[in-house]
Structures are given as C-alpha cells and as structure tokens.
C-alpha cells in the first residue's frame, strides 16, 4: 500500500506549534482544496474554517478578485529585490496603508514576528540616533503575544512558547494586562484599565530613561485567549507614552483589517501610535507579508549622510510584488463590498445563532468584539482544548481552543448555512467534550 499524505508528512515535515509525538494518535488532516470558508480534505470531507486558518483569511479561500490580481501580477513581475529597486504594487500598497492609518513610510517583512522585530529595532535605533542610546528596553503586557523569533519572544509573555529559550532572550518588562475579566467585585472594564494604566505609569516613572517602547495588542490579546480590554487603556497608554517619551507600538497583526469592527483596532481609541505592525489578514490570507508603518518623526531620525544611521535591515523577499498585489486586492474588496458595514449584520446573525452556546451553564465570559467570539469553559478536563478540537473536527468544524477558551474568528464570508453549521458544531462539540468528564472520573 502506498503511504498516505499524512504519513509522508509525518516522515518529512516538522509541523509548527506541535509536539510531533501526539500525531501518533491523531495524524494531521491532509487538505486537498479550499473554497470560501470551507476546507476539503483528500477524502472530500469538508471543514468550516472558523479560525480563518490561524487568523489570516478574511474573504474565504480562493476569492476571485485576489486570484485574478495574483494571476495578472504573475504575468508582469514575480519578484525583484527592493533595495535599489521599486515597483508598482509596493508603492501603491504603501500609499494606501498610509492613507488608511495616517502613518507613512511602510517597511516590509515576511511574517508577523519579523514585523515585531522591525518595530523594536527601529524604536531603539531611533533613540540611539537621537542621542539617547540608553533607551533600549521594551515593555509588554502580561499575556502578550508578538511572535516567536528570539527578539519577538522578548515581548511575548506566554510561558510555553518562551520557557525553553529563556537564556537566549533579553526579556522585556511586563506590566499588568487590562483584560476586562480581571475586574474585581463591583469594578467595570474601565476600572480595570485605570488600575492597569496606574501600574504602567509607576513602571514608566521609574524606568523611562532606559525604555524605548511599549508594545500592545490593541483591544484583544488574541493568543492569551481572546482577552479583551476597554479602548480607554490605549488612550491612557498613549498619554503616558507621550509624557515619558516612550514609543507606542500597536501590534495589529491579528486585530487589523476589520477583525475588531473597525479597520484597525487602535482607531476605536482615537489614538495615533508611533508604529503599527501588520501581517496575517494583510494579503487576505494568501501569501506571507508584513509591514511596519511609522511616523515622519521616526523616519527623519534615520535620514542622514551617514549610512550607519539608516535602518540597515532586510529580508530577501522584502516587498514581494505578488504579496503586495494580494494585499492591494484585499484592500479593494474592503472598499468595493463595504465589508465593515456588512460584518455588523453578519455578527448580529452569528450572535443570534450562538446564543445557546453563550448561555451554556458551563460557559463564562461569553464575549465578542467585531468578528471575534470567545467563551471560557469551566472544566477540569485535562487536554480540554485538544479534545474539543477533535469533537469539532468530527462535526466538520475547525475550532482550536486556547486552554479552556473556545473562540471563533471566521472569514467574513459566512452564509446562513455556514453560520448555522458553526453554531451547531460549536455547541454539540462542547457537550460531547464535557461528556468525557464523567468517563474520565
Ligand atoms: C500571529 C501574531 C504574531 C506573529 O505573526 P507570525 O506571522 O506568526 O510570525 C505577532 N503578533 C500577534 C498579535 C499575532 O497574533
């Protein structure tokens, strides 16, 4: 018998974020094709991609507009190095991102972690160029996630991703998260933000001379388990960063491109960050691309006769034309289809369908922001996340809880059938998983 794709994969591919030995019991699912929000495995079984393939897919798989743009670009220019050269897709994308955010000077990387690295390096180098080389440390929030390369791990406060590499990492300082679930009796989400901001202020008052930047995931700390906070925190953080001369980096890698209801999450706070990191949805989930946008002030601090004062950072595929063209097509879909307005209606239909899950007696902190839903499940079942994932997959639904938090982050193209499929699958998978508690006892 010939080996299956899954078997060959286990022999040749080292899968991400995976203890490979677990695949002895549960082989990876071999996907043959995808259309809209649906993935089809090699046997033809379909799965609703309710996590947007790790938060990257916005308009479903194989969107005709993105496909056409890519095919056209492939005819013209596949790739050229961006040092000493330029091309239409990267120029147009940079102009559009500047118009959308008010921050120009787009610097490109290939994935989210490299965007984090770029923003941190730029911030520290800015202070060095400004005659303040001592400002070279960073602050992040408890539970923050900004990627897993060695530099990005410095500001990623998730133990399982970091522990083994602690000796390699120059750890950033961690201040309390404004996670609204941290409210004490009688406290509102805004009270939690004020308490967290007070802790940030105390830290800055003492350490601002050695601090380059604060990095935050605006409104939702996704990898922490969709921890949501009040927009007021971003306003307070902005004020404190101004007062203590520390850059504010907003990592919109997961929250950007309509995920939280606005084009970018920080816009709900009405603030202007010093750096914005973008990736994931940037290309609609088709190709790897990331960008860091920054202010004229930062840009000008590098503009000099001396080469070494420039930002001497690069990746081989910086500004890849195909990826930039996918990003342009993605932004065009936002405009042509009035996506943000349409998502308000879709979210309402989802809320309605998901009401039984949100009211499930074992669910706490049912919450939603924009197109992100999350439910904390009260269970002592070991491996709840893995078991839930299995039960959901058996129902043709791709959901991957984080710890005991079940969440949905679907593409923005669910029809009524897909909404029902998601809601019913999420609910029945929960009951099936919780039923294992009794047998585990
Ligand atoms: C996913 C993510 C990253 C890292 O992006 P990669 O492309 O996986 O390197 C960084 N920050 C946030 C907020 C993310 O969600």
């Amino acid at each position: 018998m010939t080996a299956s794709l899954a078997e060959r994969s286990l022999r040749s591919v080292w899968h991400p974020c995976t203890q490979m030995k677990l695949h002895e019991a549960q082989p990876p699912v071999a996907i043959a094709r995808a259309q809209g929000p649906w993935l089809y495995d090699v046997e033809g079984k379909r799965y609703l991609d309710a996590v947007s393939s790790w938060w990257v897919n916005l308009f479903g798989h194989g969107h005709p507009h993105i496909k056409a743009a890519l095919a056209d670009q492939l005819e013209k220019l596949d790739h050229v190095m961006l040092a000493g050269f330029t091309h239409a897709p990267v120029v147009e994308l940079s102009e559009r991102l500047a118009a959308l955010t008010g921050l120009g000077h787009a610097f490109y990387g290939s994935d989210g972690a490299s965007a984090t690295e770029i923003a941190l390096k730029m911030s520290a180098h800015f202070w060095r160029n400004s005659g303040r080389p001592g400002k070279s440390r960073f602050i992040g929030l408890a539970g923050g996630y900004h990627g897993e390369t060695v530099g990005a791990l410095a500001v990623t406060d998730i133990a399982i991703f970091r522990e083994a590499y602690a000796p390699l990492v120059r750890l950033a300082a961690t201040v309390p998260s404004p996670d609204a679930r941290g409210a004490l009796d009688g406290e509102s989400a805004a009270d939690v933000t004020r308490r967290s901001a007070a802790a940030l202020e105390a830290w800055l008052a003492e350490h601002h001379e050695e601090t380059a930047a604060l990095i935050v995931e605006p409104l939702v700390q996704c990898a922490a388990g969709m921890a949501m906070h009040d927009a007021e925190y971003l306003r307070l953080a902005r004020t404190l960063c101004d007062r203590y001369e520390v850059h504010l980096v907003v990592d919109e890698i997961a929250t950007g491109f309509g995920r939280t209801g606005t084009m970018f999450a920080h816009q709900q706070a009405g603030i202007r960050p010093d750096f914005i990191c973008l990736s994931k949805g940037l290309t609609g989930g088709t190709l790897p691309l990331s960008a860091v946008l920054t202010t004229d002030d930062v840009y000008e601090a590098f503009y000099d006769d001396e080469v070494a004062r420039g930002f001497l950072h690069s990746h081989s595929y910086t500004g890849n034309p195909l990826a930039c063209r996918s990003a342009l097509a993605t932004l065009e879909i936002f405009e042509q289809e009035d996506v943000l307005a349409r998502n308000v209606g879709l979210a309402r239909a989802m809320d309605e369908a998901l009401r039984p899950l949100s009211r499930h007696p074992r669910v706490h902190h049912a919450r939603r922001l924009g197109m992100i839903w999350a439910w904390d499940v009260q269970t002592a079942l070991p491996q709840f996340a893995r078991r839930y994932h299995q039960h959901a997959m058996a129902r043709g639904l791709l959901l991957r809880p984080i710890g005991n938090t079940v969440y949905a982050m679907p593409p923005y193209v669910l029809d009524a059938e897909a909404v029902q499929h998601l809601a019913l699958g999420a609910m029945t998978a929960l009951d099936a998983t919780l039923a294992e508690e009794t047998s585990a006892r």
Side-chain angles (χ1 to χ4, degrees), residues 55 111-113 145-147 217 251 253-254 280:
W55 319 344
D111 47 38
Y145 180 90
H146 302 286
E217 295 158 86
D251 176 350
I253 290 167
K280 292 207 165 112

Side-chain angles (χ1 to χ4, degrees), residues 155-228:
V155 286
T156 286
D157 182 41
I158 295 183
I160 193 157
F161 295 145
R162 194 160 77 183
E163 245 161 37
Y165 316 105
L168 314 182
V169 175
R170 183 167 173 251
L171 266 196
T174 301
V175 291
S177 163
D179 182 352
R181 292 171 299 176
L184 307 172
D185 262 357
E187 261 191 345
S188 68
D191 293 331
V192 183
T193 66
R194 280 188 281 276
R195 199 151 39 76
S196 321
L200 172 63
E201 169 151 37
W203 202 92
L204 284 173
E206 202 175 330
H207 299 284
H208 63 98
E209 296 288 3
E210 68 254 36
T211 303
L214 164 70
I215 184 165
V216 297
E217 295 158 86
L219 300 188
V220 190
Q221 294 180 275
C222 295
M226 305 300 154
M228 299 181 183

Side-chain angles (χ1 to χ4, degrees), residues 73-317:
Q73 186 57 43
L74 203 47
E75 285 299 317
K76 293 176 176 151
L77 174 67
D78 48 5
H79 184 68
V80 63
M81 60 193 284
L82 198 62
F85 296 88
T86 195
H87 50 80
V90 78
V91 172
E92 284 168 30
L93 178 61
S94 307
E95 288 171 352
R96 272 176 176 255
L97 291 174
L100 281 170
T101 60
L103 267 66
H105 316 295
F107 195 98
Y108 292 91
S110 315
D111 47 38
S114 59
T116 298
E117 305 263 349
I118 288 162
L120 299 184
K121 282 178 68 178
M122 252 185 203
S123 171
H125 197 166
F126 167 92
W127 294 114
R128 180 186 159 90
N129 281 352
S130 310
R132 300 168 77 179
K135 284 170 83 68
S136 67
R137 303 215 41 207
F138 304 104
I139 328 171
L141 300 189
Y145 180 90
H146 302 286
E148 293 166 53
T149 53
V150 173
L153 272 183
V155 286
T156 286
D157 182 41
I158 295 183
I160 193 157
F161 295 145
R162 194 160 77 183
E163 245 161 37
Y165 316 105
L168 314 182
V169 175
R170 183 167 173 251
L171 266 196
T174 301
V175 291
S177 163
D179 182 352
R181 292 171 299 176
L184 307 172
D185 262 357
E187 261 191 345
S188 68
D191 293 331
V192 183
T193 66
R194 280 188 281 276
R195 199 151 39 76
S196 321
L200 172 63
E201 169 151 37
W203 202 92
L204 284 173
E206 202 175 330
H207 299 284
H208 63 98
E209 296 288 3
E210 68 254 36
T211 303
L214 164 70
I215 184 165
V216 297
E217 295 158 86
L219 300 188
V220 190
Q221 294 180 275
C222 295
M226 305 300 154
M228 299 181 183
H229 59 253
D230 195 280
E232 177 69 5
Y233 184 79
L234 300 174
R235 284 187 287 271
L236 295 171
R238 176 71 275 180
T239 306
L240 291 171
C241 285
D242 285 342
R243 185 180 309 155
Y244 289 103
E245 296 186 293
V246 164
H247 287 140
L248 176 60
V249 181
V250 295
D251 176 350
E252 295 260 12
I253 290 167
T255 53
F257 302 101
R259 211 22 103 175
T260 66
T262 42
M263 195 60 174
F264 300 106
H266 73 272
Q267 293 171 335
Q268 292 182 41
I271 59 154
R272 187 165 187 270
D274 300 292
F275 296 89
I276 303 175
C277 300
L278 302 173
S279 190
K280 292 207 165 112
L282 177 57
T283 61
T286 53
L287 286 167
L289 180 69
S290 64
V292 175
L293 312 175
T294 191
T295 61
D296 294 346
D297 265 6
V298 169
Y299 181 76
E300 276 152 22
F302 290 79
Y303 201 83
D304 198 86
D305 290 327
E306 200 185 318
V307 172
R309 285 174 65 95
F311 190 59
L312 306 185
H313 180 108
S314 61
H315 298 282
S316 308
Y317 282 97

